[in-house]
Amino acid sequence: MTRSAISWRRWANLSVVTTLLLTGCGSFLGASEESYVSDEAAASGGSTTTLPPTTAPPPTTGPPAAPAGNQPALAAVSPASLATPQALEQRLADLRFDVTPDGKEDDNTRQALIAFQKLSGLPRTGKSDPAVINALASATLPPPMRPDGEPTRVEIDLGRQVLFLYTNGSLNKVLPVSTGTGKRYCDEGKCGIATTPKGSFRVERRISGWRKSDLGRLYNPLYFKGGIAIHGFPSVPPTPASHGCVRIPMGSANAFPGLVPDGTLVIVV
């Protein structure tokens, strides 16, 4: 084999490795992509075009702007006032959980309740029992983990398994998440540690729709560290379950990318 042929082959191999590192949910040195467990049919028809970086200003949707760490107070209510499903959902929405107050008590309601239970230290059942009702009635908006953070940012709490989205200084959304298990895995011949990295990052790039990888699928991923992304997934259990990415409920995954421009600060603690 000639020297030029050897050089070309080395370059090609390097390109393949680089592509894998940039498009997976992790790398061979850390976490890999999410394992796709269900809803294969739901993945059909999605666009997987990578969007170019943007310098667009922070979105203006969501609660009115307020200085970071200075959220308006939320008054307590009577537990009896939360007796109907719609009233309960409205209280969750007032507390910035991602739910529509339509009285349907669907999966979005269940996920919002799980997020509230995570913050309140209650059993993560997704059901509204008397303890949940009483806690909701007296609940206030959660304080920011990083009050000195940028006005538009994402905060991810690995311990409580929740995500906070701040828009123009105000808390916009609180989502339940499922992050890396911290355990060793071997899947499809690839092995690593399922770790969600801690630190401060930026949203680097995004893919619209379903992204098919060697190990599974990711919906509307927002990549913030190499192959680690915040993305929608059919299964978001109350505890860590991913290979390193930050799973969010499918009910939130369509609107979430539009609230998070490229370059947004992502803080993982």
Side-chain angles (χ1 to χ4, degrees), residues 98-186:
D98 196 14
V99 63
T100 301
D102 53 14
K104 293 182 178 179
E105 292 188 290
D106 52 15
D107 188 63
N108 289 342
T109 307
R110 185 181 70 86
Q111 291 287 5
L113 282 168
I114 288 174
F116 176 74
Q117 289 166 335
K118 288 178 174 182
L119 290 184
S120 304
L122 296 169
R124 302 172 182 184
T125 64
K127 298 179 180 179
S128 55
D129 57 28
V132 170
I133 296 296
N134 289 332
L136 273 172
S138 60
T140 59
L141 296 179
M145 295 191 297
R146 296 288 178 86
D148 58 345
E150 295 176 4
T152 296
R153 67 187 184 278
V154 174
E155 297 180 349
I156 298 169
D157 187 328
L158 296 179
R160 292 183 291 180
Q161 292 286 282
V162 290
L163 176 154
F164 304 98
L165 169 63
Y166 285 85
T167 301
N168 297 335
S170 290
L171 181 61
N172 190 332
K173 299 288 183 185
V174 182
L175 303 180
V177 301
S178 183
T179 59
T181 63
K183 299 178 182 179
R184 181 171 177 79
Y185 69 89
C186 283

Side-chain angles (χ1 to χ4, degrees), residues 73-77 91 137 139:
L74 188 65
V77 299
R91 182 64 174 175

Side-chain angles (χ1 to χ4, degrees), residues 35 114 139 162 193 223 232 267:
S35 295
I114 288 174
V162 290
I193 304 298
Y223 294 92
I267 302 169

Side-chain angles (χ1 to χ4, degrees), residues 12 17 23-24 46 57 79 87 114 186 191:
V17 172
T23 59
I114 288 174
C186 283
C191 298

Side-chain angles (χ1 to χ4, degrees), residues 24-38:
C25 183
S27 71
F28 296 110
L29 300 178
S32 73
E33 291 204 17
E34 307 287 45
S35 295
Y36 182 61
V37 295
S38 62

